[in-house]
């Protein structure tokens, strides 16, 4: 058997990370392409992370430069499997004690959209885009992310193909709704051996009966948001929406809370808030039913939209009164972890070029997203390797009083959210911020780059 040709090494700690993917890349060109692409994604964001940007070539005239064409071939034509590479990335995260998933974490399901012009690019059509908060021309990805109070990382991402792109429309055999794709992502995470206490998602998925029924049938625990005014069948004199159900919980003030129970939420920046939570009865949902409606808020009297959650869960309600209060706090903690997905989007889009691709094929788009996830995971693992004195993950009982993130406003997407807590503290505050670490790492990358920039570099 012949010895593999050596590949020019990546600068700094990136080489050790890239080496772990070498067995999946058959040729030296593929191994070099992987290193150069991820290195380009990690560079400071002075311009968009297009192929010319990754190769440091002129935006238009440099498109034909050999370095740009080499990356273009690697992304679009070269014979490597992005699913195998992603599986390897997830495996590395699972094997690293600093990032390994555990049963106190959550699997966050969400989708994100970005503007794209025309219709020649796969999956692009007029559809709702969460990044702009309206219907526009663009592409949408359904994603899964693992998170606890300490670390968060993407698991899988798949593009959503609107019915308008398929010959048979929404009756086409290949058409899948976002909730159907989300169910497949949950199953893929379970097959990958990723532990989590519950699947969490916003009201787009919580309001979808097909999604909840599929999770119930698969025996997957979940905590899903509901729209405050989601209607359901009930007798005329009973509550018909979550807000009406919350109004029947007997609040008379902190000294006479009725069915409400006081819980304490502690955030990673040291901030602490008093919340109130209770099991409500609505239609077929109730404390003793298979599905429970948990209401959590900072003010049971007014139920402010920016700090009130209506959560559907299949986590069982314990028998004792004290355990019920702890259980309510745990449900709130789990849903609070959902906000890490918003932070993750800000980082992969703001720094790593998630939406900057200028390729058109489905395979090339998926490959680009996979490589962005590799860059994101590299930042986490390198940061934690340089900061080993991190707090241990909270156990499920202790974690019930500690959460992080911002409170959603009740809108479908993040256009009205308060700032994510994780983004507030400055460097050195002990938070694992992949992008701060990436900036520091890229000082090493630029200083120790093994080759000179392309002659047509900007």
């Amino acid at each position: 058997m012949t010895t593999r040709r050596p590949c020019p090494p990546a600068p700094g700690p990136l080489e050790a990370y890239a080496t772990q993917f070498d067995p999946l890349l058959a040729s030296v060109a593929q191994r070099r392409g992987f290193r150069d692409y991820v290195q380009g994604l990690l560079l400071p964001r002075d311009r968009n992370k297009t192929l010319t940007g990754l190769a440091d070539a002129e935006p238009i005239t440099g498109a034909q430069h050999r370095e740009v064409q080499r990356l273009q071939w690697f992304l679009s034509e070269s014979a490597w499997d992005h699913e195998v590479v992603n599986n390897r990335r997830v495996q590395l995260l699972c094997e690293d004690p600093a990032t390994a998933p555990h049963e106190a974490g959550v699997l966050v399901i969400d989708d994100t959209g970005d503007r794209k012009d025309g219709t020649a690019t796969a999956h692009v059509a007029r559809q709702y885009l969460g990044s702009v908060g309206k219907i526009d021309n663009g592409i949408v990805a359904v994603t899964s992310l693992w998170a606890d109070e300490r670390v968060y990382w993407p698991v899988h991402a798949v593009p959503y193909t609107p019915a308008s792109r398929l010959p048979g429309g929404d009756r086409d055999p290949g058409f899948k709704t976002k909730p159907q794709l989300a169910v497949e992502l949950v199953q893929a995470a379970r097959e990958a051996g990723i532990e989590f206490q519950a699947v969490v998602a916003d009201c787009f998925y919580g309001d979808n009966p097909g999604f909840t029924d599929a999770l119930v049938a698969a025996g997957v625990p979940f905590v899903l948001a509901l729209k405050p005014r989601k209607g359901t069948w009930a007798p005329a004199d009973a509550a018909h929406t979550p807000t009406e159900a919350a109004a029947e919980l007997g609040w008379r003030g902190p000294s006479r809370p009725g069915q409400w129970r006081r819980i304490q939420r502690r955030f990673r920046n040291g901030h602490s808030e008093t919340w109130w939570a209770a099991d409500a009865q609505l239609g077929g949902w109730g404390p003793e039913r298979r599905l429970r409606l948990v209401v959590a808020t900072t003010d049971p009297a007014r139920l402010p939209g920016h700090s009130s959650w209506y959560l559907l869960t299949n986590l069982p309600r314990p028998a004792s009164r004290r355990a019920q209060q702890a259980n309510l706090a745990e449900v709130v903690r789990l849903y609070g972890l959902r906000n890490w997905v918003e932070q993750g989007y800000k980082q992969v889009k703001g720094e790593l070029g998630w939406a900057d691709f200028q390729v058109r094929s489905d395979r090339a788009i998926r490959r680009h997203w996979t490589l962005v996830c590799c860059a994101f995971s590299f930042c986490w693992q390198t940061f934690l390797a340089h900061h080993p004195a991190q707090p241990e993950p909270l156990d499920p009982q202790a974690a019930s009083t500690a959460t992080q993130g911002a409170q959603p406003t009740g809108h479908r997407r993040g256009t009205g959210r308060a700032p994510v807590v994780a983004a507030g503290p400055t460097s050195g505050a002990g938070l694992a911020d992949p992008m701060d670490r990436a900036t520091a790492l890229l000082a090493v990358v630029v200083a120790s780059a093994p080759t000179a920039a392309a002659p047509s570099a900007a």
Side-chain angles (χ1 to χ4, degrees):
M1 192 167 95
T2 59
T3 304
R4 276 192 161 195
R5 292 174 55 196
C7 175
L14 181 57
E15 174 60 23
Y17 182 76
T19 300
Q20 300 173 98
F21 295 87
D22 283 351
L24 312 178
L25 304 170
S27 67
V28 65
Q30 292 174 4
R31 298 192 293 277
R32 183 181 177 188
F34 179 89
R35 287 162 169 77
D36 290 348
Y37 204 97
V38 174
Q39 176 182 334
L41 293 172
L42 291 167
L43 286 169
R45 198 186 232 304
D46 297 328
R47 53 189 288 195
N48 286 346
K49 304 294 180 72
T50 59
L51 288 169
T52 52
L54 299 182
D56 197 23
E58 292 285 356
I60 298 177
T61 59
Q64 301 303 315
H65 189 274
R66 66 185 183 192
E67 295 300 314
V68 178
Q69 290 296 302
R70 182 170 60 81
L71 289 181
Q72 172 74 51
W73 177 267
F74 169 72
L75 191 65
S76 301
E77 305 297 337
S78 184
W80 58 279
D81 192 330
H82 67 274
E83 292 184 354
V84 173
V85 169
N86 191 68
N87 291 342
R88 177 59 174 157
R89 176 187 67 85
V90 172
Q91 180 187 10
L92 293 174
L93 290 165
C94 292
E95 292 175 350
D96 188 341
T99 55
H102 51 84
E103 60 182 11
V106 298
L107 185 71
V108 184
I109 296 296
D110 202 66
D111 57 79
T112 182
D114 299 282
R115 283 193 178 107
K116 287 291 177 182
D117 294 331
T119 58
T121 302
H123 313 292
V124 170
R126 285 192 61 80
Q127 54 190 316
Y128 181 85
L129 305 179
S131 62
V132 297
K134 65 177 183 179
I135 295 177
D136 206 339
N137 208 64
I139 186 170
V140 170
V142 182
T143 67
S144 59
L145 174 138
W146 189 89
D148 65 3
E149 282 75 12
R150 178 173 169 269
V151 66
Y152 53 97
W153 41 266
V155 184
H156 297 104
V158 293
Y160 164 70
T161 305
S164 60
R165 297 275 319 204
L166 300 172
D170 57 7
R171 296 186 178 183
D172 193 280
F175 176 70
K176 294 181 180 179
T177 65
K178 295 173 191 175
Q180 288 173 334
L181 292 174
V183 170
E184 294 180 358
L185 293 187
V186 173
Q187 181 60 32
R190 297 179 79 188
E191 292 175 353
I194 296 176
E195 296 181 87
F196 53 86
Q197 188 169 347
V199 169
V200 299
D202 66 10
C203 58
F204 177 78
Y205 296 92
D207 289 341
N208 187 281
F211 182 68
T212 56
D213 290 346
L215 295 186
V216 169
V220 177
F222 58 79
V223 178
L224 309 174
L226 298 172
K227 290 179 182 176
R229 302 196 178 277
K230 174 181 172 59
T232 187
W233 182 92
D237 58 346
H240 292 80
T241 66
T243 51
E244 292 177 1
E248 296 181 348
L249 294 172
W251 175 262
R252 296 293 183 270
S255 60
R256 299 171 59 193
Q259 300 177 52
W260 294 92
R261 298 290 176 264
R262 188 195 305 267
I263 61 175
Q264 201 72 18
R265 298 190 66 209
R266 299 189 183 95
F267 298 81
R268 289 198 56 172
N269 65 348
H271 174 62
S272 180
E273 290 184 1
T274 297
W275 279 53
W276 297 84
D279 273 289
Q281 185 75 45
L282 179 63
W285 305 333
E288 310 304 329
R289 301 294 185 91
R290 181 180 63 175
L291 298 181
R292 299 162 53 200
L293 172 62
V294 172
V295 184
T297 182
T298 55
D299 186 352
R302 296 186 302 110
L303 296 173
H306 69 282
S307 59
S308 295
W309 297 344
Y310 306 89
L311 306 174
L312 183 67
T313 180
N314 60 349
L315 295 175
R317 184 178 188 240
S320 71
R321 183 183 179 91
R322 187 168 184 176
Q324 289 172 9
Q325 183 170 3
N327 176 263
L328 290 171
E330 177 68 358
V331 171
V332 174
R333 178 192 78 88
L334 293 172
Y335 188 72
L337 293 172
R338 197 205 75 83
N339 290 285
W340 281 134
V341 75
E342 307 292 350
Q343 178 76 354
Y345 288 152
K346 289 165 63 177
Q347 292 170 326
V348 297
K349 293 183 180 185
E351 297 294 336
L352 297 179
W354 174 272
D356 290 353
F357 61 85
Q358 290 183 336
V359 290
R360 293 184 173 180
S361 70
D362 168 80
R363 181 174 68 170
I365 294 170
R366 293 174 188 256
R367 286 178 168 183
H368 172 78
W369 287 345
T370 297
L371 295 168
V372 169
C373 291
C374 286
F376 186 88
S377 301
F378 163 70
C379 292
W380 264 118
Q381 292 187 291
T382 306
F383 175 89
L384 294 174
H386 286 74
H387 296 76
Q390 293 289 310
E392 291 299 319
L394 298 175
D395 61 64
Q397 192 67 23
S400 64
T401 59
T403 58
Q404 75 282 3
Q407 290 79 38
T409 63
H411 292 288
R412 161 69 180 93
R413 282 292 180 261
T415 55
R417 297 185 187 277
V420 178
V421 172
T426 57
S427 299
L431 294 183
D433 187 343
M435 296 307 105
D436 284 348
R437 185 57 191 163
T439 301
L441 289 173
L442 264 297
V444 177
V445 170
V446 174
S448 59
T451 57
S456 61

